[in-house]
Amino acid sequence: MPDKNTMLTGSTSPWPQGYRSAAVITIDFNDIYGILSQAPTVEGRDKTLSVWRYGTLRGVDRLLNLLAKKQVKTTWCLPAIVAQEQPLLLERILAAGHEVACAGDQHEDFSAMSLEEQVACVRRATEKLTALCGRAPRGFRTPAGQWKPGFAQALSGMGFQWSSCWRGDDLPYFHPGTSLVELPLHYELEDEPYFAFNLSPAVPPGQSRIASYQETLANMTQDFYGYHRFGLCYLLRLHPEIMGTAGRISLLEALIDTLQQQPVWLTTAQSVAEHWRSSQPANTPDHPAEVFQRLWAQHHG
């Protein structure tokens, strides 16, 4: 287990002075729209939809109470339709000082959309979220599916400063040719692969069993120690209907306790992006993202 007092020096750590690593808790609050984009046939099936409505009815409240208790600021990724339909919960999220990021308009499947449709979707969502929140979102998470080439440039042009969609690194980096900071995700740092479950439609498709809470906590804790050891950015992706249950909320509390016992910068995605833009103004030429971009350009003329 890392020694709390063993820290990287300011010259080698990419984080603000005194911190060895960074950590960001992101929460995808999709209400029923996440499952509707994956399985449109469940529309009108209230028993099935209640599995995802649980987050709105109970999970958000538990998460907000725990975060207030621990004095932790997080980033909430919302489709605009959820912000419109849940104004009281949105007000509580904002009043607590959490960041609100854009996750599409109605949690669309981006793989079924052209680049132009993707951009139009984000413009609609941004207008709605700006009106509801009193400020424009600066972060973006793909609701579902893949974005098209050129979308990162479009996001940057719309004023977005960060996205958290890709999985190819464990430090922030810039999408080549833009000032858009990517905050990478990893499946092992999400609650959904461990705990998401529904009988019909089958979620997950293989209908695997729900994981052990203690083993999941051990996995996420071990990952944190690895990220902390190497001075990386540990980013969690959680869901109110999954991590906000009566039993699992204590798992998150134990994990936050571990983070707060170490010299880790536990902050919002926007704060990490702003820091990265000021301290690391560009990828190095040999960064894998830059190398891939050059090879892609050569291959596609």
Side-chain angles (χ1 to χ4, degrees):
M1 185 177 298
D3 181 353
K4 179 179 179 180
N5 297 314
T6 302
M7 300 166 56
L8 297 178
T9 64
S11 61
T12 58
S13 172
W15 308 112
Q17 186 174 5
Y19 295 112
R20 183 184 182 103
S21 65
V24 177
I25 298 174
T26 66
I27 300 168
D28 286 10
F29 179 23
N30 300 319
D31 194 74
I32 62 173
Y33 296 96
I35 188 60
L36 283 174
S37 65
Q38 299 175 55
T41 57
V42 304
E43 186 171 4
R45 294 173 57 182
D46 287 340
K47 177 182 175 182
T48 297
L49 293 175
S50 69
V51 174
W52 285 269
R53 284 200 174 104
Y54 179 86
T56 301
L57 295 174
R58 293 295 181 189
V60 170
D61 185 64
R62 284 203 185 95
L63 285 170
L64 287 173
N65 288 342
L66 173 61
L67 296 170
K69 174 183 175 182
K70 297 297 180 182
Q71 298 183 327
V72 172
K73 297 296 185 286
T74 59
T75 295
W76 292 63
C77 303
L78 276 70
I81 192 170
V82 175
Q84 288 177 311
E85 292 184 351
Q86 304 299 333
L88 297 180
L89 290 181
L90 176 66
E91 183 180 346
R92 286 189 59 196
I93 292 167
L94 293 169
H98 301 293
E99 177 187 9
V100 171
C102 175
D105 187 15
Q106 299 188 31
H107 202 280
E108 296 79 2
D109 180 0
F110 268 39
S111 293
M113 303 167 73
S114 67
L115 173 61
E116 292 73 21
E117 290 170 333
Q118 292 176 352
V119 172
C121 168
V122 176
R123 289 193 188 280
R124 288 194 306 272
T126 300
E127 290 176 1
K128 295 173 184 177
L129 287 171
T130 300
L132 291 164
C133 298
R135 55 183 179 270
R138 288 291 172 254
F140 175 80
R141 174 164 287 161
T142 311
Q146 304 282 334
W147 74 35
K148 296 294 190 293
F151 184 75
Q153 289 74 14
L155 275 182
S156 184
M158 284 187 277
F160 283 89
Q161 296 184 4
W162 64 268
S163 75
S164 184
C165 309
W166 292 25
R167 302 178 185 273
D169 207 338
D170 36 33
L171 276 173
Y173 63 91
F174 293 94
H175 284 274
T178 77
S179 59
L180 185 71
V181 179
E182 181 65 28
L183 305 179
L185 296 162
H186 290 279
Y187 287 117
E188 63 270 24
L189 298 181
E190 301 185 26
D191 56 7
E192 200 167 46
Y194 291 105
F195 298 134
F197 189 90
N198 189 61
L199 287 173
S200 178
V203 178
Q207 209 73 92
S208 58
R209 294 184 179 183
I210 294 172
S212 159
Y213 292 8
Q214 287 304 312
E215 290 179 3
T216 300
L217 175 60
N219 288 355
M220 290 184 168
T221 302
Q222 185 61 38
D223 275 310
F224 165 69
Y225 285 136
Y227 276 67
H228 190 63
R229 173 190 176 191
F230 292 105
L232 306 174
C233 183
Y234 178 86
L235 190 145
L236 291 171
R237 183 185 192 181
L238 309 177
H239 300 76
E241 68 274 15
I242 297 176
M243 194 57 74
T245 67
R248 293 174 195 148
I249 197 70
S250 61
L251 185 158
L252 179 58
E253 183 170 12
L255 188 58
I256 290 174
D257 286 343
T258 297
L259 269 60
Q260 292 185 325
Q261 291 166 8
Q262 301 291 333
V264 57
W265 187 30
L266 182 52
T267 187
T268 64
Q270 177 63 21
S271 294
V272 169
E274 289 176 350
H275 172 74
W276 205 259
R277 288 159 67 101
S278 63
S279 64
Q280 313 280 337
N283 297 331
T284 59
D286 61 348
H287 189 281
E290 299 293 333
V291 173
F292 176 82
Q293 181 67 19
R294 291 196 295 270
L295 291 173
W296 189 91
Q298 291 173 9
H299 181 72
H300 291 82

